[in-house]
Amino acid sequence: MAFPDAAQLTELLQPLLEPRGLDVEDVKTTKAGKKSQVIIRIDGDQRPSSDVLEDVSNQISEFFDAKEESGELNFGAGYTLEVSTPGVDLPLTAPRHWRRNRGRLVAFELTPGKSEVARIGALSDDASSVALITTVKKDVYFRIERLENIARAVVEIEFAKPSAAEQEAAQQTFEYAEQNSATREDEK
């Protein structure tokens, strides 16, 4: 068997982690010298604690060892395994990323090269759209964007606490945001 790629490992690991409510967010493999390196980023609706990460790391290591022994995987002479959560620089590419970051500030692009910033509100029931919150002169505005129209999105690091109005707006339902949303022309 050839050295496994990220897609193969993701496919193998997701069913292993699903019962814990965890998702494989990123896998990187590097074939290097005596030991290959496997880096796995996992996340869940409840951010995994260091104890959970250690337990999952042991579970994955045992799983990989059994797969190598049966000939289903081949990491070469050996591997080092790193299991952690993704950093804030993980692009928001799936509805779960938006849901897990509700209330946080996000930089996003609808048009390549033109970045905008808003606070993440609720997702629609079908997870196809998100409520985005902006504040102009202390007034809070909702706008609805389809996730498919967002070319790139990354959580922004904030050093100041958001206003109470923005925090409250982020907790509103999608239906509330939709009923109170402004068009882009209204925002200008």
Side-chain angles (χ1 to χ4, degrees):
M1 163 133 245
F3 189 82
D5 65 19
Q8 291 170 312
L9 292 178
T10 300
E11 191 175 312
L12 285 171
L13 292 172
Q14 190 55 51
L16 189 69
L17 299 179
E18 244 168 43
R20 293 175 173 265
L22 297 171
D23 296 298
V24 177
E25 295 296 352
D26 186 44
V27 175
K28 286 188 174 88
T29 59
T30 306
K31 199 173 184 181
K34 290 185 177 183
K35 289 202 174 199
S36 301
Q37 186 178 32
V38 182
I39 301 171
I40 302 166
R41 306 280 184 249
I42 63 172
D43 207 356
D45 287 348
Q46 294 293 325
R47 175 91 12 154
S49 67
S50 57
D51 289 341
V52 169
L53 289 173
E54 182 181 356
D55 191 34
V56 167
S57 180
N58 291 334
Q59 182 182 11
I60 291 172
S61 183
E62 289 172 12
F63 177 77
F64 282 172
D65 292 348
K67 292 286 186 187
E68 275 197 306
E69 195 173 303
S70 70
E72 295 176 65
L73 286 178
N74 181 2
F75 291 105
Y79 66 92
T80 58
L81 176 65
E82 178 185 321
V83 178
S84 63
T85 57
V88 294
D89 59 343
L90 175 78
L92 306 182
T93 58
R96 70 177 178 266
H97 300 148
W98 292 89
R99 183 183 71 247
R100 290 175 182 160
N101 285 289
R102 185 175 182 173
R104 297 188 75 182
L105 212 54
V106 64
F108 63 98
E109 294 179 4
L110 295 173
T111 308
K114 185 176 182 260
S115 186
E116 300 180 50
V117 177
R119 190 158 308 282
I120 301 171
L123 277 178
S124 61
D125 287 340
D126 65 359
S128 66
S129 298
V130 63
L132 296 171
I133 301 145
T134 55
T135 302
V136 179
K137 296 181 183 177
K138 296 187 181 184
D139 292 326
V140 175
Y141 296 95
F142 291 98
R143 90 184 221 202
I144 306 299
E145 290 294 345
R146 294 195 50 78
L147 294 181
E148 67 189 21
N149 295 336
I150 299 173
R152 182 170 171 7
V154 178
V155 169
E156 289 281 290
I157 296 173
E158 290 183 87
F159 296 103
K161 189 174 180 179
S163 71
E166 277 191 20
Q167 289 178 356
E168 183 181 324
Q171 298 310 310
Q172 295 297 332
T173 65
F174 182 82
E175 292 73 23
Y176 178 91
E178 196 171 36
Q179 290 168 358
N180 293 284
S181 67
T183 64
R184 283 205 187 101
E185 282 67 42
D186 291 341
E187 290 179 7
K188 292 179 182 173

